[in-house]
Amino acid sequence: MMALADLRKKLPARLPWSPRVVPVVGMSGIIAAREGAINLDRFAAPLTRGFDRAKAGEKLLILAIESPGGSPVQSDLIGQFIRRKAAETGVRVVAIIGDVGASGGYWIACAADEILANKMSIVGSIGVIGGGFGVHQLIRRYGIERRVVTAGENKLRNDPFSPEREEDALFNRGLVDDIHNAFKSWVRSRRGSAIEGHEADIFDGSYMLGEVARSRGLIDGFGDVRSVINERAGEAAKPEFIGPKKKFSLMRLLGRDAGTALLNAIEAETMRARLQ
């Protein structure tokens, strides 16, 4: 008796009477390692499902991106994962930016073979930001004495309770520049000749509307999810939205997830505010 797995292999990828569908992986929110945010741990499975579905169907996967950015580590992990899956499956990836695809959001978009947006979308912000606060004057004013013991010359680097050291400022500048250089290298490798002659305008950390982004090579054109699907797969084709599965959790029932969601929303809105 033929095994079910063998039977599936003999069937065509799409039966004649089955509707055409194009998988769409939506990535919305802040990019961070924590639960509820955009990160590889949450999106490896939905991306894999999307690539598998696309490979068996229209050979097209859409990334619907709504993100002001966040962690460069998670942005790079997701970007590299997308490229590996695209190479393995032969699927064409199209990123479609909605309201915003900036900083880490644009980093992920660059993993696609083609980037589309709306003329009013916020795109770019190819830069890095870092910082903190110094409260040494505050604790001094209130007569607070801090006592700390360290082993290692720089173990207390960037201590907010001490005056900033010149060597710490130089160290921080080096870190930020290194991340920025990695970001620029990734964009160059993915956008190629499209951005030639525009690097001074796009690598300064600023952001722009979709129409300007197209003129500077950051995106390839304009479109939305449904119009792209109809253009590429036919008028009868439908989107199949794929996202992370929600895990059952007692802590969710007790309200912990609500706090996490609120934290992610606040951070996302804070980053959005810097882009407006």
Side-chain angles (χ1 to χ4, degrees), residues 53-205:
R53 193 77 171 93
K55 182 181 179 181
E58 304 300 319
K59 299 292 191 297
L60 173 65
L61 173 67
I62 291 179
L63 305 176
I65 295 176
E66 287 280 4
S67 177
S71 164
V73 172
Q74 293 300 323
S75 301
D76 184 58
L77 287 173
I78 293 172
Q80 298 298 336
F81 184 85
I82 290 170
R83 291 319 308 158
R84 288 197 301 273
K85 297 300 290 186
E88 291 170 6
T89 60
V91 166
R92 180 171 179 79
V93 183
V94 177
I96 300 179
I97 294 171
D99 286 316
V100 58
S103 197
Y106 184 72
W107 191 314
I108 293 175
C110 279
D113 300 294
E114 184 179 358
I115 305 176
L116 305 177
N118 184 274
K119 291 182 179 180
M120 297 295 107
S121 300
I122 294 176
V123 180
S125 191
I126 303 171
V128 183
I129 186 170
F133 296 93
V135 296
H136 60 285
Q137 296 285 6
L138 179 65
I139 64 174
R140 181 182 301 171
R141 177 179 298 177
Y142 286 96
I144 299 172
E145 180 185 359
R146 184 177 184 232
R147 298 170 182 173
V148 63
V149 178
T150 65
E153 181 181 352
N154 292 307
K155 188 62 178 177
L156 205 60
R157 192 189 293 280
N158 294 319
D159 175 31
F161 300 101
S162 303
E164 184 179 39
R165 303 185 304 173
E166 182 179 355
E167 55 267 37
D168 289 351
L170 292 173
F171 177 82
N172 295 335
R173 166 54 57 190
L175 281 182
V176 170
D177 286 344
D178 286 346
I179 297 172
H180 192 205
N181 287 334
F183 196 170
K184 291 187 290 185
S185 177
W186 169 247
V187 174
R188 288 189 185 105
S189 70
R190 298 301 304 153
R191 299 304 298 166
S193 61
I195 60 172
E196 287 181 2
H198 301 293
E199 290 197 2
D201 298 321
I202 65 175
F203 288 159
D204 64 350

Side-chain angles (χ1 to χ4, degrees), residues 36-58:
I38 300 172
N39 52 62
L40 184 59
D41 186 54
R42 281 188 75 219
F43 278 88
L47 283 168
T48 298
R49 292 199 305 273
F51 274 104
D52 289 344
R53 193 77 171 93
K55 182 181 179 181
E58 304 300 319

Side-chain angles (χ1 to χ4, degrees), residues 188-237:
R188 288 189 185 105
S189 70
R190 298 301 304 153
R191 299 304 298 166
S193 61
I195 60 172
E196 287 181 2
H198 301 293
E199 290 197 2
D201 298 321
I202 65 175
F203 288 159
D204 64 350
S206 62
Y207 47 89
M208 61 206 74
L209 294 180
E211 192 143 28
V212 178
R214 184 183 185 186
S215 70
R216 294 177 180 173
L218 290 182
I219 67 173
D220 298 291
F222 307 118
D224 60 82
V225 170
R226 285 174 174 80
S227 67
V228 170
I229 288 175
N230 292 152
E231 290 169 4
R232 310 288 174 92
E235 289 295 327

